[in-house]
């Protein structure tokens, strides 16, 4: 095994959720005693989430082409890891890493945590512009091809996956599509440890003690199925039930739309630092992850699942993508986009809450075995040993 000591993680956009996957990989690598730096471009104003101060983070402003070429030229000399680990097959991460490999000959690992092209229609997406449209999109200041995230570049990057020395993925869907080693998201099980929290105290702290709480600890999006949960609450129509949404959507006004239609069932809490999340999840009676069945969701590993599992909560989710495999026999599953089945399961869980809490304990045990930072580190050690 070669003597690698430092790993540079390249993130396509530090102002996006891509930084979360990078942080988990960095945490796992640090348990293996590698020096880790996180590097990337900032296409927004701020980091998507502040990371612990001991993690070195280097960023340059993200820009459109042709200015982006200048930023890349400044960026390349700063990459000094013995291994370069690119997060996502995007030009701003994998593309830069491929350039670096040409000059440095250092090993390149690519992590694929989402099917990027699925946001544009997946395999059905094609780019066949007329010469006039191509010129306009290349030459106009606001031309679409000046954006480094244009799906054409994503398609090019996906076509170059085989040039990485190793590939890691976090769902079976992605593994079937791109190959590579399955490295599911790990949870910090020492932070997310239910023995450190008292559920009733947590509910009091956040003003939730009057209610039976269904919690969604993430950003609402239409494909995440919250409308199905809210329709289920309409059907049950019991006044002490509430859906608690933590953080809200940074992308659009979708949570405002939910509030307008189903406000009587919703309690919206602000975004909290990562180390506060276990205390918030402790306040839940049930953690809900009602994903709908779309190309995007089939490729995803919802972190909210392991939030609930690690905190020994009953987890109610849907049969989409890897979710049944992740939960095993420790959670509650219904068909996607089925408010009727959700309503039935919610009532059954509350009617048998003691039994559901025992399921939560089994979910915690499963999370420790398969979805902890330690489990993640063990697999990454094997990946690096083969370089």
């Amino acid at each position: 095994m070669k003597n690698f000591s430092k790993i540079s993680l390249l993130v396509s956009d530090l102002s996006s959720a891509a930084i979360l996957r990078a942080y988990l990989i960095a945490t796992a690598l640090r348990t293996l005693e590698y020096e880790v730096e996180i590097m990337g471009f900032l296409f927004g104003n701020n980091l998507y989430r502040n990371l612990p101060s001991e993690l070195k983070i280097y960023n340059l402003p993200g820009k459109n082409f042709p200015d982006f070429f200048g930023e890349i030229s400044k960026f390349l000399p700063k990459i000094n890891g013995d291994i370069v680990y690119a997060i996502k097959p995007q030009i701003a991460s994998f593309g830069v890493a491929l350039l670096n490999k040409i000059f440095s000959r250092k090993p390149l690992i690519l992590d694929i945590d989402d099917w990027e092209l699925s946001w544009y229609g997946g395999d059905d997406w094609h780019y066949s512009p007329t010469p006039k449209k191509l010129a306009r999109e290349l030459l106009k200041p606001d031309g679409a091809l000046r954006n480094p995230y244009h799906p054409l570049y994503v398609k090019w990057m996906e076509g170059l996956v085989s040039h990485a020395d190793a590939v890691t993925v976090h769902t079976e869907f992605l593994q079937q599509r791109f190959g590579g080693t399955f490295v599911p998201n790990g949870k910090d099980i020492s932070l997310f440890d239910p023995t450190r929290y008292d559920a009733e105290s947590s509910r009091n702290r956040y003003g939730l003690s009057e209610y039976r709480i269904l919690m969604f600890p993430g950003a609402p999006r239409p494909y995440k199925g919250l409308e199905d949960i809210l329709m289920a609450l309409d059907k049950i129509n019991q006044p002490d039930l509430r859906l608690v949404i933590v953080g809200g959507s940074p992308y659009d006004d979708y949570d405002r739309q939910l509030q307008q239609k189903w406000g009587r069932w919703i309690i919206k809490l602000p975004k909290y630092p990562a180390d506060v999340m276990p205390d918030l999840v402790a306040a839940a009676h049930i953690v809900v992850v009602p994903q709908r069945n779309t190309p995007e969701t089939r490729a995803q590993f919802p972190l909210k699942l392991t939030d609930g599992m690690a905190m020994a909560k009953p987890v109610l989710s849907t049969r989409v993508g890897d979710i049944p495999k992740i939960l095993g026999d420790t959670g509650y599953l219904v068909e996607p986009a089925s408010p009727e089945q959700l309503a039935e399961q919610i009532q059954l869980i509350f009617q048998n809450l003691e039994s559901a809490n025992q399921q939560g304990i089994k979910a915690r045990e499963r999370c420790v075995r398969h979805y902890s930072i330690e489990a993640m580190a063990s697999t990454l050690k094997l990946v690096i040993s083969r370089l």
Side-chain angles (χ1 to χ4, degrees):
M1 181 174 173
K2 293 181 181 177
N3 186 25
F4 302 121
S5 61
K6 183 174 182 179
I7 300 176
S8 298
L9 281 164
L10 270 55
V11 183
S12 55
D13 183 4
L14 292 166
S15 61
S16 77
I19 198 173
L20 301 181
R21 175 70 169 173
Y23 169 64
L24 293 175
I25 290 174
T27 304
L29 291 171
R30 291 179 75 216
T31 69
L32 298 173
E33 300 186 347
Y34 288 104
E35 182 184 352
V36 179
E37 62 181 0
I38 293 179
M39 314 177 70
F41 297 95
L42 203 59
F43 283 88
N45 295 323
N46 302 295
L47 294 179
Y48 182 84
R49 178 174 291 174
N50 290 325
L51 301 183
S53 56
E54 63 267 20
L55 269 176
K56 299 174 185 174
I57 300 177
Y58 173 80
N59 71 81
L60 282 172
K63 297 181 179 179
N64 282 349
F65 294 118
D67 296 336
F68 192 44
F69 290 121
E71 297 305 312
I72 292 173
S73 68
K74 295 177 196 173
F75 193 84
L76 285 169
K78 302 290 185 181
I79 303 170
N80 54 24
D82 302 310
I83 298 170
V84 176
Y85 204 144
I87 308 298
K88 292 186 177 292
Q90 292 278 3
I91 276 188
S93 51
F94 186 40
V96 173
L98 286 168
L99 280 175
N100 179 76
K101 184 181 177 185
I102 291 170
F103 298 117
S104 71
R105 304 293 180 184
K106 291 180 179 176
L108 165 57
I109 305 174
L110 170 63
D111 183 70
I112 306 176
D113 73 336
D114 214 338
W115 184 25
E116 303 294 311
L117 209 58
S118 70
W119 303 102
Y120 306 100
D123 293 324
D124 294 331
W125 185 86
H126 299 284
Y127 186 66
S128 304
T130 63
K132 184 177 180 180
K133 182 181 178 184
L134 178 62
R136 186 170 63 246
E137 296 198 339
L138 275 172
L139 301 176
K140 288 187 69 175
D142 60 348
L145 287 173
R146 292 197 170 202
N147 182 350
Y149 285 88
H150 192 283
L152 177 63
Y153 306 138
V154 176
K155 195 160 191 171
W156 288 354
M157 291 295 102
E158 288 188 356
L160 295 173
V161 166
S162 62
H163 291 273
D165 296 290
V167 175
T168 56
V169 295
H170 80 159
T171 65
E172 286 191 350
F173 174 93
L174 293 169
Q175 190 175 43
Q176 289 167 9
R177 188 168 189 88
F178 297 106
T181 302
F182 180 53
V183 184
N185 285 318
K187 187 64 62 181
D188 183 344
I189 54 171
S190 60
L191 176 64
F192 282 78
D193 179 354
T195 64
R196 297 175 55 187
Y197 305 91
D198 175 71
E200 199 52 52
S201 298
S202 295
R203 284 192 276 273
N204 284 331
R205 205 161 11 257
Y206 302 105
L208 305 175
S209 56
E210 299 175 31
Y211 307 109
R212 290 181 293 162
I213 299 300
L214 312 177
M215 185 173 286
F216 180 81
R221 302 295 292 273
Y223 62 81
K224 294 184 179 180
L226 293 186
E227 293 176 45
D228 301 323
I229 287 285
L230 292 163
M231 286 187 277
L233 293 180
D234 276 342
K235 292 177 181 298
I236 300 169
N237 198 26
Q238 293 178 3
D240 64 335
L241 288 173
R242 289 294 184 276
L243 173 64
V244 173
I245 299 172
V246 182
S249 174
Y251 310 106
D252 49 37
D253 67 344
Y254 181 60
D255 41 1
R256 182 184 60 80
Q257 297 172 38
L258 295 178
Q259 191 78 37
Q260 283 181 338
K261 189 167 183 180
W262 288 288
R264 68 183 181 129
W265 300 123
I266 296 173
I267 295 175
K268 187 175 179 298
L269 295 179
K271 189 175 182 179
Y272 286 88
D275 59 356
V276 179
M277 284 306 296
D279 187 41
L280 281 159
V281 178
H285 291 96
I286 307 172
V287 170
V288 291
V289 189
Q291 299 276 81
R292 288 181 172 174
N293 191 10
T294 68
E296 300 92 340
T297 57
R298 288 194 288 274
Q300 291 182 339
F301 184 118
L303 285 169
K304 296 166 287 298
L305 284 176
T306 49
D307 285 350
M309 292 171 74
M311 290 301 291
K313 294 294 176 180
V315 178
L316 173 57
S317 192
T318 49
R319 296 183 181 93
V320 174
D322 275 23
I323 291 174
K325 179 184 175 183
I326 296 165
L327 284 174
D329 62 353
T330 71
Y332 297 84
L333 291 169
V334 300
E335 294 305 312
S338 178
E340 296 82 6
Q341 290 185 25
L342 286 168
E344 182 180 348
Q345 282 295 336
I346 290 167
Q347 291 175 94
L348 284 172
I349 289 170
F350 279 118
Q351 287 165 12
N352 301 277
L353 195 55
E354 187 174 340
S355 171
N357 288 333
Q358 288 300 312
Q359 284 289 89
I361 291 170
K362 287 170 61 181
R364 160 83 183 175
E365 292 167 353
R366 182 172 177 80
C367 187
V368 170
R369 268 197 317 275
H370 299 290
Y371 307 113
S372 64
I373 290 291
E374 290 75 14
M376 197 177 189
S378 178
T379 307
L380 287 173
K381 184 177 181 180
L382 288 173
V383 171
I384 293 169
S385 72
R386 299 183 188 122
L387 294 175

